[in-house]
Amino acid sequence: MTLAEDVRPAALEQSPALIPGAVQFDITSKFSGRTYRVFVYQPLVPPPPEGYPVITLSDGNMNFPMAAAMAGMFSFQASAAVIVGVGYPTSNPLELMFNRTRDLTPPTPIENIRPQPGLPPPQPENFGGAEDFHRFLTEELRPAIAAGWKVDPDNQTLYGYSLGGLSVLTTLFAHPDAYRTFVASSPSIWWNNRSLLEGEAEFTRRVETGEAAPRVLITIGALEQDPPKTTPPGYTEADVKTLIAEARMVDNARELGARLAALKGASGYVARFHEFAGEDHLTAMAGSIARAMDFALRP
């Protein structure tokens, strides 16, 4: 008999844990050809006359529960918002990783994708679907949410973490009018030799001429350029140091944040950067979700 069995109470009827106020449904995209599991949280308080603001998060399987809990707190202290987490109908970690990598990355030459120890060699079909994912979010999912919930079409936020942060910035540079607010948490700006930044000049022009005036927040953990406490399986300490030096997670985020904050745009344009002291790539996500809601709901 194990310790857990020793202290376990008498057999109780069990059922899946539920998030109050949340539902989920599956929807298949004609753009990406894949099926998404969508998680939606509606606050307990009634919507304002213009409808709830909407915060859409990629990696919904992982971050939706935190976002829904935080939104419940904000609904009584700031502004109530509908939370939309976009994930996948699977619990297989490898399948989740391949799905998100395809949806969150721009077109990338296969030779620029570093193989990872213990995983199959990179395949072209597992990368480069960012534009299809953007069209799913805005042309298919957004109308579905508007049909089921009273939401404000002019107050939409896109949040993404890590590769999701890369996807947010890719959307920001290519489609700055698609959302009112963009939050890139720990963005993987290093991806494909920082090819993301090729779109920065055109974005800068659009902001400075008043063609676009989004609200932008970039966050990073201050320790994301430090060696991890535990070396990942299959890597040596030298491998990790090389990857950290190439990624420049903190430097890239800080530098881009400063450039965007310095732009002089039309009324409504704002860009902020926040660095979480003492947090690394694993721990910065939770804080960034709270900061994203504060930025989106208490501007």
Side-chain angles (χ1 to χ4, degrees):
M1 183 175 292
T2 67
L3 178 61
E5 290 172 333
D6 287 338
V7 300
R8 185 182 304 153
L12 301 173
E13 183 179 352
Q14 298 181 7
S15 61
L18 302 177
I19 298 175
V23 298
Q24 69 181 44
F25 58 89
D26 292 351
I27 179 172
T28 300
S29 170
K30 67 181 180 183
F31 297 113
S32 70
R34 62 179 55 206
T35 299
Y36 298 94
R37 177 148 295 165
V38 178
F39 309 90
V40 182
Y41 169 82
Q42 176 176 325
L44 299 177
V45 300
E50 67 275 14
Y52 294 113
V54 178
I55 300 177
T56 300
L57 308 94
S58 55
D59 288 319
N61 301 73
M62 174 174 61
N63 58 36
F64 175 77
M66 285 187 287
M70 187 62 63
M73 297 176 64
F74 267 78
S75 67
F76 292 105
Q77 300 180 21
S79 177
V82 163
I83 306 300
V84 180
V86 183
Y88 307 94
T90 178
S91 58
N92 183 302
L94 197 61
E95 188 175 355
L96 281 171
M97 185 186 67
F98 286 151
N99 286 344
R100 75 182 294 268
T101 303
R102 177 184 175 185
D103 284 333
L104 301 178
T105 57
T108 307
I110 196 69
E111 61 269 18
N112 288 351
I113 300 172
R114 185 191 299 270
Q116 298 185 46
L119 295 179
Q123 300 298 320
E125 62 269 20
N126 290 330
F127 304 91
E131 183 62 22
D132 286 341
F133 187 59
H134 162 72
R135 295 195 67 183
F136 162 70
L137 293 180
T138 56
E139 298 180 39
E140 296 176 316
L141 180 57
R142 184 175 290 176
I145 297 299
W149 290 265
K150 182 175 174 56
V151 297
D152 183 353
D154 297 321
N155 194 355
Q156 307 263 332
T157 295
L158 180 64
Y159 168 94
Y161 168 77
S162 194
L163 284 180
L166 170 72
S167 178
V168 167
L169 293 175
T170 300
T171 303
L172 172 69
F173 287 171
H175 309 285
D177 296 325
Y179 298 85
R180 178 178 182 238
T181 303
F182 297 78
V183 181
S185 169
S186 301
S188 300
I189 298 172
W190 55 267
W191 182 266
N192 190 25
N193 299 320
R194 303 201 305 171
S195 63
L196 161 77
L197 301 181
E198 295 171 5
E200 184 181 350
E202 174 60 15
F203 173 76
T204 297
R205 184 197 67 78
R206 296 184 69 178
V207 168
E208 292 182 335
T209 59
E211 294 179 27
R215 305 180 70 254
V216 184
L217 173 64
I218 298 175
T219 71
I220 196 74
L223 305 182
E224 295 198 43
Q225 249 170 249
D226 291 11
K229 296 177 181 178
T230 303
T231 301
Y235 290 91
T236 66
E237 290 187 9
D239 293 334
V240 172
K241 288 181 179 179
T242 298
L243 291 173
I244 289 174
E246 292 177 353
R248 299 180 75 250
M249 287 290 293
V250 177
D251 291 341
N252 282 334
R254 185 186 293 135
E255 292 164 4
L256 179 60
R259 293 196 301 272
L260 297 187
L263 296 180
K264 305 300 182 184
S267 176
Y269 174 74
V270 60
R272 298 282 184 266
F273 171 76
H274 184 82
E275 188 170 311
F276 294 101
E279 306 296 344
D280 60 21
H281 196 66
L282 291 178
T283 62
M285 183 180 68
S288 74
I289 291 175
R291 181 70 57 163
M293 293 199 180
D294 188 65
F295 184 69
L297 302 179
R298 296 196 297 190

